[in-house]
């Protein structure tokens, strides 16, 4: 090998040695960086644990200081100022009011501790049905946590959950759902899938979906919550009870009470096991059992259960609590079903102010209450007052639908339009009745692919009203029948009535609204449905279908031509 070759070889060996050295150094740096990273993570975890411990201790000391005034000596004024009431104990409201007062200037230099206390005291205010006092505390807690901890932290999730519950207490369901979804996303990200905190958020979110009438999603969420809480059942049997009860309420609200029965039976057994006399879970269990008994037709049992709920609710919650008001609303519905209209109205009027205060004056729940009052007032024969009440409900329903369309809530609004239309038409207000029938019927036509009894009933009544207003002949039986009679002559006559009603709508409008178009299409479909019955049961000739001038409106319709073709084959 020449000198040049040896030089190249030596250079190659040197390069290889350098590479090996660099690799070794990189390995050392990697191991060092890894060790440093693990050390940093361990230190960060240690700091987080220490901060959490310090926060918990500071919160405990602060709250302990609030409750020192339970000492009779302290009630002379040592702790919070003079108290002249003597031997009475501090109420929960007094405690949190004083805690709020202390927090105005306390712990400014410890934002994490301050945020935790604000969140806890705000939650107590919510439990005392005082959302106005809770809101500024919960909002400040969230802002402090965002500033101190950033948006991706578990304590921020706690604030989002508290705000979600605040919004629910005001029936601000869309805002509640958004806040609770943020809390759930954070907790799923940072916690094990069966962590009890995830179950807590799922419970509130499932409750929100139930009140928002989104029952399929509510059931899925609550079932996941229940599965997690069963894992921790020994430590959280109250949570299992609450979830079973909410699932039962969801099924009752969705009008499938038989699905609720086994859930309520299990909840009742757990309540008995806990010996929860006069406990909120006991009241809620009785409340749902009362609804179930009423839906299943056991009137005597339903009445007794509602009365027990009322007596225990007054004792535990007070006369003006929104949960007791909601129970009385359901009790009044039961009384209405028993035709005890006067008692039903009295009970509902007694809850009206609580509904307005708790859920807001323009909320869906106030509108639903007013609708039920109007029905009972009509049952009493007080038609003028029923009309006024129903109109007030309609105004609120329109606002609610303008905020967001929820099928079950829109369906409830359509019921109110139906009730009001029937009230005003009886007093000769034909044009007003026409407006209410159209608006209510259009809502139902958008909601349902298949026509239910109310949709058919409203359609027949609107068609009858339109024809009578135009002085057209119309059989009286037509107004109160919803399906074909099976009598060929009658069904043909009714088909002609629906056809003429469609022509009235199109003829009286220079430009059809979207609602008008829906109603015209509906009238034509009803006419073709009746013609099917004529063909199936009668001796109508093929030419009779295609030459009847009263049916000319349908000649170009695909469903009408299909009927003609079926008749030819037949």
């Amino acid at each position: 090998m020449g000198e040049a070759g040896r030089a190249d070889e030596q250079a190659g060996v040197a390069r290889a040695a350098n590479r090996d050295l660099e690799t070794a150094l990189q390995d050392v740096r990697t191991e060092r960086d890894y060790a440093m990273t693990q050390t940093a993570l361990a230190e960060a975890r240690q700091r987080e644990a220490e901060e959490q411990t310090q926060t918990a201790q500071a919160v405990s000391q602060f709250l302990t200081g609030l409750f020192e005034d339970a000492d009779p000596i302290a009630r002379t004024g040592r702790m919070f100022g003079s108290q002249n009431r003597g031997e009475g104990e501090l109420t929960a409201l007094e405690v949190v009011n004083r805690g709020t007062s202390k927090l105005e200037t306390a712990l400014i230099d410890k934002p994490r501790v301050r945020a935790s206390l604000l969140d806890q005291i705000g939650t107590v205010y919510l439990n005392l049905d005082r959302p106005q006092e809770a809101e500024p505390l919960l909002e400040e807690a969230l802002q402090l946590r965002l500033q101190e901890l950033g948006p991706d932290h578990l304590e921020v999730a706690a604030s989002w959950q508290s705000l979600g519950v605040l919004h629910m207490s005001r029936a601000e369901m869309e805002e509640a759902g958004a806040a609770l979804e943020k809390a759930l996303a954070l907790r799923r990200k940072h916690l094990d899938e069966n962590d009890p905190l995830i179950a807590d958020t799922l419970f509130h979110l499932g409750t929100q979906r139930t009140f928002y009438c989104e029952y399929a999603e509510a059931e899925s969420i609550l079932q996941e919550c229940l599965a997690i809480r069963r894992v921790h059942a020994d430590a959280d049997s109250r949570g299992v009870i609450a979830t079973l009860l909410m699932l039962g309420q969801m099924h009752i609200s969705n009008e499938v009470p038989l699905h609720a029965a086994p859930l309520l039976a299990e909840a009742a057994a757990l309540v008995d096991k806990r010996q929860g006399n006069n406990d909120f879970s006991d009241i809620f269990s009785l409340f749902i059992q009362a609804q179930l008994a009423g839906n299943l037709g056991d009137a005597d049992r339903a009445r007794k259960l509602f009365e027990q709920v009322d007596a225990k609710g007054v004792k535990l919650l007070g006369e003006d609590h929104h949960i007791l008001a909601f129970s009385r609303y359901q009790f009044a519905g039961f009384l209405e079903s028993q035709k005890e209209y006067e008692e039903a109205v009295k009970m509902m009027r007694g809850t009206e102010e609580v509904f307005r205060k708790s859920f807001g004056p323009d909320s869906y729940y106030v509108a639903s209450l007013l609708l039920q009052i109007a029905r009972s007032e009509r049952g009493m024969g007080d038609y003028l007052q029923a009309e006024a009440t129903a109109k007030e409900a309609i105004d609120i329903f329109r606002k609610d639908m303008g905020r967001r369309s929820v099928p079950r809530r829109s369906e409830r609004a359509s019921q109110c339009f139906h009730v009001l239309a029937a009230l005003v038409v009886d007093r000769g207000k034909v044009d007003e009745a026409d407006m209410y029938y159209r608006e209510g019927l259009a809502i139902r036509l958008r909601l349902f692919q298949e026509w239910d009894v109310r949709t058919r009933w409203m359609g027949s009544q609107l068609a009858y009203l339109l024809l009578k207003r135009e002085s057209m002949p119309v059989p009286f039986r037509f107004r109160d029948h919803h399906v074909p009679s099976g009598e060929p002559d009658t069904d043909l006559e009714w088909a002609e009535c629906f056809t003429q009603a469609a022509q009235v709508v199109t003829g009286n409008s220079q430009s059809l609204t979207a609602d008008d178009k829906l109603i015209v299409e509906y009238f034509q479909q009803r006419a073709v449905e009746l013609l099917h019955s004529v063909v199936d049961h009668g001796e109508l000739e093929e030419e009779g279908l295609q030459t009847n001038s009263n049916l000319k409106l349908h000649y170009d319709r695909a469903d009408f031509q299909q009927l003609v073709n079926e008749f030819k084959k037949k």
Side-chain angles (χ1 to χ4, degrees):
M1 178 183 298
E3 291 294 329
R6 282 195 295 273
D8 289 341
E9 181 179 3
Q10 290 171 355
V13 171
R15 285 195 298 272
N18 287 334
R19 282 197 301 272
D20 291 343
L21 178 60
E22 181 62 32
T23 299
L25 289 172
Q26 182 62 38
D27 288 344
V28 169
R29 285 195 294 268
T30 299
E31 291 178 4
R32 183 191 63 196
D33 290 346
Y34 177 77
M36 291 175 65
T37 299
Q38 292 302 306
T39 300
L41 286 173
E43 290 174 351
R45 292 191 186 101
Q46 180 64 26
R47 284 195 303 272
E48 175 68 15
E50 289 173 356
E51 286 183 15
Q52 288 183 1
T53 300
Q54 291 170 5
T55 299
Q57 290 173 347
V59 168
S60 177
Q61 289 171 1
F62 185 92
L63 295 177
T64 300
L66 296 182
F67 283 97
E68 284 182 7
D69 207 25
D71 182 341
I73 299 175
R75 292 192 66 77
T76 62
R78 174 175 58 83
M79 196 69 187
F80 295 111
S82 177
Q83 290 285 322
N84 297 319
R85 291 178 300 174
E87 57 188 7
E89 293 183 356
L90 275 173
T91 66
L93 182 58
E94 286 177 316
V95 172
V96 292
N97 282 344
R98 292 174 177 185
T100 303
S101 179
K102 284 190 69 176
L103 271 177
E104 289 179 2
T105 56
L107 300 170
I108 301 298
D109 59 335
K110 296 181 179 180
R112 190 169 181 178
V113 177
R114 180 177 174 82
S116 181
L117 282 164
L118 288 166
D119 189 77
Q120 290 189 40
I121 293 176
T123 298
V124 175
Y125 273 127
L126 286 181
N127 292 337
L128 294 173
D129 197 25
R130 290 180 172 268
Q132 288 185 336
E133 289 93 332
E135 182 176 17
L137 307 183
L138 298 178
E139 289 284 3
E140 184 183 349
L142 174 63
Q143 294 307 315
L144 286 173
R145 284 167 165 169
L146 288 171
Q147 293 166 14
E148 186 73 9
L149 305 170
D152 188 25
H153 196 279
L154 271 175
E155 289 178 31
V156 174
S159 275
W160 282 123
Q161 176 168 301
S162 297
L163 285 168
V165 176
L166 168 69
H167 287 304
M168 267 204 294
S169 73
R170 293 173 164 173
E172 298 165 351
M173 293 301 166
E174 190 166 357
E175 295 87 344
L180 292 168
E181 286 163 6
K182 290 178 181 178
L184 182 62
L186 283 170
R187 286 181 167 174
R188 286 196 192 281
K189 179 177 180 180
H190 293 290
L191 298 171
D192 293 337
E193 61 181 11
N194 285 329
D195 193 283
L197 289 176
I198 290 178
D200 289 347
T201 309
L202 287 168
F203 177 80
H204 292 300
L205 189 58
T207 302
Q208 182 265 346
R209 294 294 196 267
T210 298
F211 287 141
Y212 221 15
C213 307
E214 295 177 347
Y215 297 120
E217 194 171 353
E219 181 175 12
S220 174
I221 292 169
L222 289 170
Q223 287 289 1
E224 183 183 356
C225 171
L226 182 62
I228 296 172
R229 285 181 165 175
R230 288 194 191 281
V231 172
H232 308 280
D234 290 342
D236 191 28
S237 60
R238 293 175 69 91
V240 172
I241 292 168
T243 312
L244 289 167
L245 292 173
M246 184 51 66
L247 273 166
Q249 179 64 57
M250 183 274 300
H251 285 304
I252 290 173
S253 299
N254 198 26
E255 299 178 1
V256 282
L258 291 179
H259 291 181
L263 299 166
L264 301 181
E266 183 180 354
L270 288 172
V271 169
D272 289 342
K273 185 177 179 181
R274 288 182 57 88
Q275 296 295 314
N277 294 330
N278 293 324
D279 181 78
F280 177 73
S281 296
D282 187 25
I283 293 175
F284 197 22
S285 176
L286 290 170
F287 170 56
I288 298 177
Q289 290 179 60
Q291 292 179 83
L292 181 61
N295 287 341
L296 296 178
D298 191 345
D300 290 340
R301 175 171 169 74
R303 186 186 301 275
K304 291 177 182 177
L305 288 168
F306 273 123
E307 289 171 350
Q308 289 180 48
V309 172
D310 203 68
K312 291 187 175 185
V314 169
K315 184 176 180 180
L316 183 67
L317 303 172
E319 283 280 356
D320 62 347
H321 198 283
H322 66 274
I323 292 177
L324 182 62
F326 187 72
S327 171
R328 287 176 171 173
Y329 165 63
Q330 296 292 336
F331 192 1
F334 165 76
L335 293 173
E336 181 192 351
S337 72
Q338 301 301 302
K339 302 188 184 304
E340 298 175 33
Y341 300 118
E342 189 170 349
E343 285 301 312
V345 170
K346 181 180 178 181
M347 183 170 290
M348 285 185 284
R349 287 296 184 190
T351 66
E352 183 179 349
E353 186 58 33
V354 179
F355 265 58
R356 292 182 187 277
K357 178 183 175 183
S358 298
F359 303 121
D362 292 331
S363 74
Y364 163 79
Y365 302 100
V366 171
S368 291
L369 175 68
L370 291 171
L371 169 58
Q372 195 156 307
I373 291 173
R375 283 174 164 159
S376 291
E377 288 170 339
R378 181 179 62 176
M380 291 168 56
D382 192 351
Y383 301 115
L384 284 175
Q385 183 57 53
E387 180 182 331
T389 303
K391 284 182 176 179
E392 186 180 0
I394 285 292
D395 289 342
I396 299 174
F397 274 125
R398 282 174 172 152
K399 292 175 184 177
D400 182 69
M401 289 188 294
R403 290 190 287 266
R404 182 181 175 185
S405 178
V406 177
R408 182 57 64 93
R409 293 162 76 146
S410 297
E411 194 277 335
R412 185 78 166 163
S414 77
Q415 293 181 33
C416 196
F417 281 110
H418 191 187
V419 169
L420 184 53
L423 284 165
V424 298
V425 77
D426 288 344
R427 299 183 57 231
K429 299 180 179 180
V430 176
D431 290 342
E432 200 173 335
D434 177 7
M435 176 182 69
Y436 294 134
Y437 272 129
R438 290 197 197 200
E439 194 167 350
L441 179 59
I443 290 171
R444 302 191 76 81
L445 293 176
R446 288 190 176 91
L447 287 176
F448 304 119
Q449 296 296 320
E450 300 291 332
W451 306 325
D452 64 353
V453 172
R454 185 179 293 274
T455 304
R456 288 177 171 274
W457 193 7
M458 291 178 72
S460 297
Q461 290 173 329
L462 175 58
Y464 180 86
L465 177 70
L466 293 171
L467 297 179
K468 293 295 288 185
R469 188 173 62 183
E470 298 296 322
S471 300
M472 294 181 177
V474 53
F476 183 77
R477 287 180 61 202
F478 169 77
R479 183 180 68 173
D480 297 319
H481 280 70
H482 320 307
V483 294
S485 68
E487 302 169 5
D489 291 342
T490 298
D491 287 340
L492 178 59
E493 188 177 26
W494 291 354
E496 292 172 348
C497 287
F498 275 115
T499 305
Q500 291 167 340
Q503 291 170 328
V504 169
V505 176
T506 56
N508 289 346
S509 302
Q510 294 180 349
S511 59
L512 293 179
T513 66
D515 286 0
D516 289 338
K517 291 176 182 178
L518 272 177
I519 290 167
V520 168
E521 175 64 20
Y522 167 73
F523 282 162
Q524 291 188 267
Q525 289 177 3
R526 288 286 298 271
V528 172
E529 177 190 52
L530 287 158
L531 291 174
H532 270 285
S533 178
V534 173
V535 169
D536 290 342
H537 296 94
E539 301 297 329
L540 186 66
E541 298 292 336
E542 176 186 338
E543 293 77 9
L545 283 175
Q546 297 180 298
T547 60
N548 186 328
S549 60
N550 290 328
L551 304 178
K552 187 176 180 180
L553 183 65
H554 311 303
Y555 287 176
D556 295 331
R557 291 180 59 84
D559 52 0
F560 183 82
Q561 290 302 319
Q562 182 182 1
L563 174 62
V564 171
N565 291 334
E566 289 176 0
F567 183 74
K568 287 179 180 179
K569 293 177 182 178
K570 186 175 179 180

